[in-house]
């Protein structure tokens, strides 16, 4: 387990800020202690410093996971955000999309969100803005990228994609192996 | 009175209640007449209802001749029993005439007579199909009647009622007309026949009662043509019945062991177990419970879920799931987060609520060890065998994501599910690692609480995995037990006895075998400075304090066993330990203390008191208050002095050997007295070392210490016993 290098930190924060903007500092300085990011096996883990101390006793090859895994760095040093980060993105999300009950299942299977399934969308959403997807009962379902800006969403036909799917909670069952 | 007074004038009857009530004058009259003649008291309560509706509750009987559908027959039987005996006998006679032996007929009637109180539903199927012999059939019916409880009978009745409802509506109309005609005529004839039948009743009863063990030829026959399951089941029931009232029901000349061996064979065949497991289960349960247990293992326990209080509340979750079409209920008074699912139109493991981590699919028995552990906020907790992560996440939710949890499992593949579940449920204070539990104290120790859900033979979860029935044998159990003993020692060594809020270990298994449960707990009590404490759950059966030839520590009463047939959850065992000293008892340390209880018996010397106080001084670092567990723990540690260097596998011997060793210990006590000063210093060094070590949170195992102490005594060596003996002889000489 090692701290992130500057470059890695930059890449990761850029990705995160797509979804939560500059609320990233809220992730690091929390009222209940300071948290940090560490890299282990190409995956970025988010944990409090107390846990960090204790986790150092475990040898590298035996350590499987610490705190919460946010995502991983690919072989070409790009950062890919995993669904496991949803719990931390959702409360700080700047732009949200609500999906109708009928289209909920479809999104959970990994499909994009169509205009027909769109319930609500935050105002001023730019195109290709990172968004967090919610169900109508305000349960976070995943996140994605807005395919159309809010204004365009209103005009476009019902069968066109409005949110590109990036990660959804259904992956806990579908991709259990790749979580670690 | 009914509307119809002219028997020849047959009016088509309607389907309703009233039409059935108004059968007509002849039937009403008949009832009055037979009432005068019959001396049979009206049995009401045993029927399951007490009002005067016996008439309309059953369609009128019809005389049976030749073949008629069996379902009608059973319907008849069931309903007829409500009527007077004479009538029932008559119709039964008719019914039974179809292809049955007259003897059987007699038996049936007899049975009717005596079983009227007990069994209302003689199963025609059984009687017809039965080919294994009169007596077996008779016994079957006999015992069938005796063994059903009133509520079971009522339930059976209801079932039959439902089954025959369809047919009734068609048949009733036609049949009732017939029966009305026949009844009047038959009634008179019956009364004469009855008296004869009554005489035969008594004679037949005696025959029927006896459950006969199959003799050699029948056994051979069985091995060629195996019996059908029904027969075997009946035989099992009869056998159990006989064994429970052995003195009264036994066959003269047959030993109890013969009955038991037959029962074993039948149980193995009927429930598909291997011999070994059936024998073990017979040791564990009394015969009446045994069948219940085996039956309970055939059906699944209800699906239960646990609300994740980090993300939602039980109330809200229940509401959301009900909206999805799930039929559920709170689990019970003992759990605030459990819900039991009766049925569901959506897959419970794939709802959006599940995926967003609002609940976890978990067996009810898995709630118990975590509730027993009751982790507090801010503590450091270890879960040694955490896959698939249900208990770990429950611990985390009880701690509200504070403190820290280390979730360990030896199996790397299963760890993936732990990772998945931990992330899904939003647990942030967990470190997941992949160590062999036995090596854990070397990695990290000083935990406030430890949970060990040891890998076991799985005999408590046969309902989930029927392969256990045939795949387990003695070696498997011993292997599991050995591993569990090693794990529990490691777990104890990982607990910090000095912890301000904790110092607890919960050991649990999903097995019901004594070798894996009480024996392991007893072993831990002997080997380490731990004691058992109450679990905090008010239900469950107490653990055994003695079993067959073994005797366990009396505090084993505080452990709890759970069974599928009595608690409707998977078989489980939970034990909660409190560690009162971080000092690892070694041979020397043990000796002094043992001396106290055992030597007094042997030598009666008052010098024991000082040794006891020595022990007190030594354990100043730990909790000196409770010596209850210690004498036991040290007693066996002293035994260790006699069987030194017997690493690992062997337990301290119990039973007769124990006494022998105790005697030897008595001798060594005197030696100990002499060596006390030397021991004391060694202990002091050890104690101070221990204290120093406890300063740091992460202690290494005190292996070095142990060696030093024993070496200091100068008694360590390969052939320790011989040395001891020599020393004693020397002493004697002096």
């Amino acid at each position: 387990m090692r701290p992130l290098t500057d470059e890695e930190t930059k890449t990761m924060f850029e990705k995160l800020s797509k979804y939560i903007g500059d609320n990233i500092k809220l992730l690091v300085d929390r009222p209940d202690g300071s948290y940090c990011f560490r890299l282990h096996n190409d995956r970025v883990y988010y944990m409090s410093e107390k846990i960090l101390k204790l986790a150092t006793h475990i040898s590298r090859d035996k350590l499987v996971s610490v705190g919460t895994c946010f995502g991983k760095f690919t072989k070409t040093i790009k950062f890919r955000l995993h669904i496991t980060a949803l719990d931390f993105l959702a409360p700080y999300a700047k732009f949200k999309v609500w999906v109708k009950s009928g289209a909920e299942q479809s999104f959970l299977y990994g499909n994009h969100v169509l205009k027909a399934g769109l319930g609500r969308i935050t105002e001023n959403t730019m195109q290709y803005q990172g968004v967090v997807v919610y169900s109508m009962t305000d349960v976070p379902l995943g996140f994605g990228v807005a395919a159309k800006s809010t204004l365009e969403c209103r005009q476009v036909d019902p069968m066109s994609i409005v949110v590109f799917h990036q990660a959804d909670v259904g992956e806990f069952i579908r991709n259990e192996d790749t979580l670690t | 009175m009914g509307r119809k007074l002219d028997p020849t004038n047959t009016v088509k009857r309607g389907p309703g209640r009233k039409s059935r009530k108004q059968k007509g004058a002849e039937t009403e009259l008949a009832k009055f007449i037979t009432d005068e003649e019959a001396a049979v008291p009206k049995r009401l309560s045993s029927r399951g209802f007490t009002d005067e509706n016996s008439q309309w509750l059953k369609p009128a009987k019809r005389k049976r001749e030749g073949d008629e559908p069996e379902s009608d027959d059973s319907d008849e039987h069931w309903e007829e029993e409500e009527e007077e005996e004479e009538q029932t006998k008559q119709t039964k006679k008719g019914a039974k005439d179809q292809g049955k032996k007259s003897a059987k007929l007699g038996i049936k009637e007899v049975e009717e007579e005596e079983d009227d109180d007990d069994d209302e539903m003689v199963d025609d199927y059984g009687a017809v199909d039965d080919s294994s012999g009169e007596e077996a059939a008779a016994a079957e019916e006999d015992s069938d009647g005796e063994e059903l409880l009133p509520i079971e009978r009522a339930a059976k009745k209801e079932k039959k009622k439902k089954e025959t409802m369809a047919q009734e509506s068609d048949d009733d109309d036609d049949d009732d007309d017939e029966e009305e005609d026949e009844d009047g005529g038959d009634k008179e004839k019956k009364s004469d026949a009855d008296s004869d039948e009554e005489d035969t009743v008594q004679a037949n009863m005696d025959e029927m009662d006896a459950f006969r063990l199959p003799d050699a030829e029948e056994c051979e026959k069985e091995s060629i043509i195996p019996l059908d399951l029904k027969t075997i089941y009946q035989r099992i029931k009869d056998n159990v019945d006989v064994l429970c009232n052995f003195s009264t029901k036994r066959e003269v000349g047959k030993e109890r062991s013969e009955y038991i061996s037959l029962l074993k064979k039948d149980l193995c065949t009927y429930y598909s177990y291997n011999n070994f497991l059936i024998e073990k289960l017979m040791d564990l349960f009394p015969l009446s419970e045994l069948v219940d247990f085996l039956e309970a293992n055939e059906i699944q326990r209800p699906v239960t879920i646990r609300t994740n209080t980090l993300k939602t509340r039980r109330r809200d979750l229940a509401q959301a799931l009900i909206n999805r079409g799930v039929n559920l209920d709170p689990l019970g008074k003992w759990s605030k987060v459990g819900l039991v699912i009766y049925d569901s139109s959506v897959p419970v493991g794939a709802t959006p609520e599940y995926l967003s981590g609002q609940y976890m699919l978990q067996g009810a028995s898995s709630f118990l060890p975590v509730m027993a552990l009751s982790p507090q906020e801010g503590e450091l907790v270890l879960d040694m065998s955490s896959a698939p992560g249900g208990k770990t996440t429950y611990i985390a939710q009880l701690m509200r994501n504070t403190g820290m949890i280390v979730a360990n499992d030896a199996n790397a593949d299963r760890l993936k599910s732990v990772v998945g579940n931990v992330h899904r449920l939003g647990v942030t204070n967990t470190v997941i690692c992949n160590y062999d539990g036995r090596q854990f104290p070397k990695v990290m120790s000083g935990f406030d609480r430890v949970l060990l859900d040891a890998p076991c033979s799985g005999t408590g979860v046969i309902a989930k995995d029927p392969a256990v029935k045939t795949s387990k044998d003695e070696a498997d159990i011993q292997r599991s037990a050995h591993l569990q003993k090693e794990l529990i020692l490691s777990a104890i060594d990982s607990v910090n006895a000095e912890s301000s809020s904790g110092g607890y270990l919960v050991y649990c298994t999903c097995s019901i075998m004594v070798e894996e449960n009480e024996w392991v707990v007893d072993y831990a009590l002997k080997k380490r400075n731990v004691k058992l404490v109450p679990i905090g759950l008010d239900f469950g059966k107490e653990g055994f304090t003695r079993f067959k030839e073994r005797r366990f520590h009396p505090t084993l009463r505080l452990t709890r066993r759970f069974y599928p047939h009595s608690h409707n959850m998977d078989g489980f065992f939970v034990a909660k330990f409190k560690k009162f000293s971080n000092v690892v008892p070694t041979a020397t340390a043990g000796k002094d203390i043992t001396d106290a209880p055992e030597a007094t018996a042997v030598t009666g010397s008052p010098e024991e008191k000082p040794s006891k106080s020595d022990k007190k001084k030594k354990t100043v670092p730990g909790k000196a208050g409770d010596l209850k567990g210690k004498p036991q723990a040290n007693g066996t540690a002293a035994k260790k002095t006699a069987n030194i260097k017997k690493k690992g596998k062997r337990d301290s011997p119990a039973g007769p050997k124990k006494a022998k060793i105790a005697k030897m210990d008595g001798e060594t006590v005197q030696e100990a007295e002499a060596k006390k000063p030397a021991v004391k210093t060694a202990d002091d060094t050890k104690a101070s070392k221990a204290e120093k070590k406890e300063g740091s949170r992460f202690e290494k195992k005190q292996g070095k210490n142990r060696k030093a102490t024993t070496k200091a005594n100068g008694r360590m060596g390969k052939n320790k016993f011989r040395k001891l003996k020599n020393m004693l002889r020397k002493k004697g000489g002096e």
Side-chain angles (χ1 to χ4, degrees):
Chain A
M1 205 159 53
R2 64 168 174 82
L4 295 172
T5 64
D6 285 339
E7 289 210 3
E8 287 164 349
T9 321
K10 207 166 69 124
T11 327
M12 196 188 76
F13 277 18
E14 265 176 25
K15 198 64 189 270
L16 279 177
S17 60
K18 276 204 193 135
Y19 295 91
I20 59 179
D22 41 348
N23 288 337
I24 294 180
K25 54 178 164 348
L26 289 171
L27 276 182
V28 182
D29 307 315
R30 276 165 57 158
D32 54 336
S34 66
Y35 284 64
C36 58
F37 293 94
R38 287 290 178 272
L39 194 73
H40 175 67
N41 288 349
D42 285 337
R43 283 171 195 266
V44 177
Y45 293 97
Y46 174 73
M47 67 199 82
S48 93
E49 305 218 321
K50 290 176 248 149
I51 301 185
L52 174 65
K53 251 200 310 178
L54 296 169
T56 51
H57 293 275
I58 299 176
S59 70
R60 210 174 293 170
D61 52 344
K62 302 284 192 190
L63 183 65
V64 173
S65 166
V66 191
T68 318
C69 170
F70 258 46
K72 67 184 236 185
F73 280 102
T74 61
K75 295 278 191 308
T76 54
I77 328 290
K78 292 207 181 53
F79 184 67
R80 190 184 153 70
L81 204 58
H82 276 178
I83 187 61
T84 46
L86 185 64
D87 283 341
F88 297 96
L89 295 183
Y92 305 119
K94 285 223 144 88
F95 298 98
K96 308 179 185 180
V97 168
W98 284 262
V99 160
K100 286 193 198 143
S101 336
E104 205 180 83
Q105 276 296 102
S106 164
F107 181 69
L108 290 177
Y109 274 101
N111 302 320
H112 304 297
V113 181
L114 306 177
K115 168 83 190 302
L118 184 68
R120 277 159 56 190
I121 184 165
T122 341
E123 279 294 324
N124 314 325
T125 317
M126 296 301 300
Q127 199 180 23
Y128 307 131
Q129 171 72 46
V131 293
V132 176
V133 177
Y134 292 81
S135 77
M136 288 319 281
T137 48
D138 272 333
V139 170
L141 294 177
F143 46 86
V145 172
K148 307 260 186 272
S149 68
T150 318
L151 293 166
E152 289 174 4
C153 278
R154 293 204 193 105
Q155 297 152 1
V156 91
D157 67 296
M159 280 290 111
S160 62
I161 298 174
V162 290
V163 176
F164 292 122
H165 165 283
Q166 285 205 323
D168 67 275
V169 279
E171 282 174 18
F172 281 117
I173 297 183
R174 295 200 316 271
N175 302 340
E176 211 176 12
D177 296 337
T178 56
L179 287 176
T180 297
Chain B
M1 268 309 182
R3 265 183 278 136
K4 206 155 56 96
L5 292 170
D6 180 6
T8 54
N9 178 20
T10 54
V11 176
K12 190 94 174 143
R13 277 175 37 161
R17 265 189 210 177
K18 282 207 174 149
S19 68
R20 265 184 261 138
K21 253 191 187 165
Q22 294 160 354
K23 284 202 186 83
E26 59 280 355
T27 46
E28 308 287 337
L29 283 170
K31 207 166 72 163
F32 298 136
I33 294 167
T34 42
D35 276 342
E36 294 163 21
E37 287 184 276
V40 180
K42 203 167 184 189
R43 294 166 297 279
L44 293 175
S45 52
S46 62
R47 299 289 181 247
F49 51 83
T50 53
D51 57 12
E52 300 296 318
N53 296 327
S54 58
Q55 281 297 93
W56 66 261
L57 272 175
K58 41 188 161 63
K61 50 180 173 60
R62 51 201 151 125
K63 191 170 186 181
R64 224 150 313 170
E65 272 162 16
D67 294 333
E68 289 188 27
E70 277 183 338
S71 50
D72 293 344
D73 281 355
S74 45
D75 177 23
E76 285 282 344
H77 294 168
W78 163 57
E79 287 153 344
E80 276 154 12
E81 285 170 70
E82 269 55 272
E83 299 183 359
E84 280 72 18
E85 276 186 325
E86 292 79 356
Q87 291 177 352
T88 45
K89 268 200 222 127
Q90 182 62 23
T91 27
K92 287 261 183 252
K93 231 184 193 166
K96 295 308 183 283
D97 274 341
Q98 29 174 332
K100 290 207 195 129
K101 309 169 198 167
S102 52
K104 259 198 191 159
L105 179 73
I107 289 162
K108 265 280 194 268
E109 289 167 12
V110 159
E111 187 209 15
E112 280 309 299
E113 189 127 38
E114 54 174 81
D115 282 356
D116 254 337
D117 282 341
D118 300 336
D119 190 0
E120 296 156 339
M121 278 142 308
V122 176
D123 192 359
D124 218 5
Y125 297 107
V128 172
D129 293 341
D130 195 3
S131 56
S132 63
E134 263 177 56
E135 284 147 334
E140 165 188 330
E141 287 143 27
D142 183 32
S143 56
D144 210 10
E146 285 167 358
E147 297 200 359
L148 289 173
L149 299 169
I151 191 146
E152 289 176 301
R153 272 181 260 133
K156 261 191 176 175
K157 213 180 8 167
E158 281 302 302
K159 217 176 30 172
K160 290 239 164 159
K161 204 177 186 176
K162 283 192 190 121
E163 284 166 19
T164 56
M165 264 318 179
Q167 290 153 359
E168 258 182 66
S169 46
D170 291 334
D171 293 334
D172 267 0
D173 300 340
D174 298 331
D175 293 339
D176 288 344
D177 298 337
E178 283 178 66
E179 284 160 314
E180 282 157 56
D181 297 341
E182 292 156 12
D183 276 355
D186 285 343
K187 215 116 312 173
E188 313 306 292
K189 294 178 208 163
K190 269 192 220 161
S191 42
D192 296 330
D194 291 340
S195 45
D196 293 335
E197 284 163 1
E198 275 174 27
D199 294 335
T200 52
V201 167
Q202 276 308 313
N204 288 334
M205 242 179 82
D206 298 333
E207 267 185 64
M208 226 169 49
D209 242 355
F211 164 60
R212 225 171 30 86
L213 283 175
D215 54 13
E217 328 175 333
E218 286 180 9
C219 287
E220 279 177 32
K221 249 196 290 176
E222 275 176 45
S223 53
I224 303 168
I225 309 164
L227 291 175
D228 66 319
L229 286 176
K230 262 190 166 295
T231 332
I232 296 181
Y233 186 62
Q234 267 313 324
R235 202 159 72 176
I236 290 173
K237 274 212 185 147
D238 299 336
N239 211 336
V240 171
D241 190 42
V242 169
L243 286 167
C244 288
N245 307 311
F246 199 59
S247 42
T248 47
K249 295 202 179 167
R250 66 178 292 179
E251 224 178 304
V252 177
K254 300 283 184 182
E255 291 298 320
R256 190 186 177 89
S257 55
E258 293 181 30
Y259 282 93
I260 289 191
S261 59
L262 176 67
L263 181 63
K264 264 191 211 164
K265 205 170 62 105
D266 283 341
L267 287 172
C268 290
T269 328
Y270 189 73
Y271 292 106
S272 336
Y273 282 76
N274 63 358
N275 229 358
F276 167 74
L277 206 52
I278 285 283
E279 280 183 24
K280 285 277 175 189
L281 293 175
M282 273 190 152
D283 292 332
L284 274 170
F285 296 109
L287 290 174
S288 47
E289 267 196 68
L290 179 62
V291 181
D292 290 339
F293 175 77
L294 294 172
E295 282 291 328
N297 279 336
E298 297 299 312
I299 51 173
Q300 296 281 353
R301 304 273 78 73
V303 174
T304 50
I305 62 176
R306 186 195 85 234
T307 323
N308 180 17
T309 51
L310 293 173
K311 290 201 175 181
T312 183
R313 286 179 306 184
R314 183 165 75 164
R315 217 177 313 140
D316 303 336
L317 174 67
Q319 193 54 51
L321 283 177
I322 288 171
N323 291 343
R324 291 217 179 264
V326 180
N327 196 356
L328 49 78
D329 250 350
L331 185 53
K333 275 184 295 177
W334 52 275
S335 169
K336 291 202 203 74
V337 293
L339 287 165
V340 58
I341 309 269
Y342 296 120
D343 53 56
S344 155
S345 47
V346 292
V348 186
T351 60
E353 283 77 27
Y354 176 81
L355 294 172
S356 54
Q358 292 180 23
Y359 65 87
M360 165 108 191
L361 282 170
Q362 190 170 33
S365 50
S366 301
F367 289 59
L368 306 169
V370 181
M371 288 167 70
L373 188 68
S374 52
Q376 307 300 317
E377 296 194 18
E379 281 189 339
L380 181 60
V381 181
L382 167 66
D383 186 352
M384 270 183 118
S385 226
S386 52
K391 298 191 187 72
T392 313
T393 46
Y394 193 8
I395 293 173
Q397 85 183 46
L398 287 178
M399 288 164 66
R400 305 219 53 79
N401 254 340
T402 59
M404 182 171 136
I405 303 176
V406 177
N408 177 58
D409 200 274
N411 185 340
D413 293 325
R414 297 193 73 209
L415 270 181
K416 292 196 181 145
S417 53
V418 182
V419 174
N421 283 322
V422 156
H423 282 104
R424 187 171 59 82
L425 271 78
V427 173
T428 54
N429 61 349
T430 308
V431 177
I432 304 172
C433 55
N434 177 20
Y435 280 102
D436 182 348
R438 295 170 281 190
Q439 264 83 59
F440 214 85
K442 295 200 194 99
V443 176
M444 201 155 79
S445 68
F447 288 94
D448 293 318
R449 290 176 203 250
V450 175
L451 172 65
L452 172 58
D453 182 10
C456 62
S457 60
T459 45
V461 287
I462 292 177
K464 279 194 201 153
D465 179 20
V468 172
K469 285 192 217 173
T470 47
S471 62
K472 298 296 170 191
D473 64 346
E474 187 67 35
D476 286 325
I477 307 278
Q478 296 292 22
R479 213 178 303 134
S480 302
H482 175 58
L483 175 62
Q484 284 152 2
K485 285 181 190 134
E486 293 183 310
L487 282 172
I488 200 173
L489 290 188
S490 300
I492 294 172
D493 291 336
S494 309
V495 181
N496 177 17
E498 303 311 304
S499 145
S500 51
S501 64
Y504 291 102
L505 160 75
V506 169
Y507 170 78
C508 61
T509 63
C510 56
S511 159
I512 49 167
M513 293 284 148
V514 174
E515 285 87 353
E516 295 177 306
N517 297 338
E518 281 87 353
W519 203 17
V520 173
V521 169
D522 199 53
Y523 176 78
L525 286 175
K526 290 175 193 166
K527 280 276 212 172
R528 291 287 187 274
N529 287 327
V530 289
K531 63 170 180 170
L532 280 170
V533 293
I535 287 181
L537 300 167
D538 54 357
F539 64 104
K541 196 163 164 289
E542 286 181 4
F544 297 120
T545 44
R546 54 191 184 85
F547 182 73
K548 285 186 20 177
E549 76 276 5
R550 296 206 195 94
R551 296 291 174 269
F552 304 123
H553 197 271
T555 52
L556 262 287
R557 272 181 302 103
L558 296 171
T559 64
R560 286 288 179 270
R561 286 173 154 261
F562 301 91
Y563 295 125
H565 60 284
S566 42
H567 306 102
N568 201 18
M569 53 176 67
D570 297 317
F572 221 69
F573 173 81
V574 185
K576 185 171 179 181
F577 293 91
K578 171 110 176 69
K579 188 172 180 181
F580 49 81
S581 162
N582 276 332
V583 173
V584 175
T586 63
T588 356
K591 252 182 64 109
D592 270 1
I593 297 65
T594 345
D595 314 342
E598 289 192 47
T600 20
V602 181
T603 62
S605 123
E607 294 161 330
E608 302 324 309
K609 294 285 170 65
S611 74
K612 225 181 186 171
S613 60
D614 257 2
K615 178 64 185 168
K616 273 215 168 101
K617 258 194 251 168
K618 201 170 50 143
T619 56
V620 147
K623 289 224 169 101
D626 195 341
L627 278 178
K628 224 195 329 180
K630 281 196 213 154
Q632 181 66 19
N634 299 314
T636 49
K639 269 181 244 147
K640 297 264 165 325
T641 61
N643 316 323
I644 285 156
K645 294 289 186 191
K646 276 195 193 144
K647 281 263 155 114
K649 314 324 181 192
R650 285 252 237 108
D651 241 5
S652 30
K657 227 184 174 184
K658 195 175 180 178
K660 193 170 161 199
I661 293 167
K663 247 200 198 160
M664 288 193 306
D665 282 345
E667 296 171 323
T668 55
V669 159
Q670 294 155 354
E671 193 193 352
E673 297 297 279
K675 296 226 164 211
K676 228 196 298 173
V679 169
K680 203 169 158 184
T681 46
D683 290 343
D684 281 345
T685 51
K686 188 159 160 253
S688 57
K689 244 188 176 174
E691 282 180 72
K692 230 202 295 175
K693 288 242 164 155
E694 277 150 30
S696 76
R697 238 188 153 172
F698 313 115
E699 303 163 323
K700 292 275 177 185
K701 206 171 190 176
Q702 298 179 14
K704 283 190 189 155
N705 258 354
R706 201 190 289 189
K707 277 198 189 135
T709 345
T710 50
K711 274 215 170 86
N713 284 339
R715 272 194 277 118
M716 270 308 175
K718 294 277 170 166
N719 204 342
K720 198 170 152 203
F721 181 52
R722 197 182 287 170
K723 264 195 181 173
L724 279 172
K725 246 186 158 175
N726 291 335
M727 278 193 238
L728 286 171
R729 238 181 280 132
K730 261 192 242 163
K731 258 192 120 188
E734 281 173 37

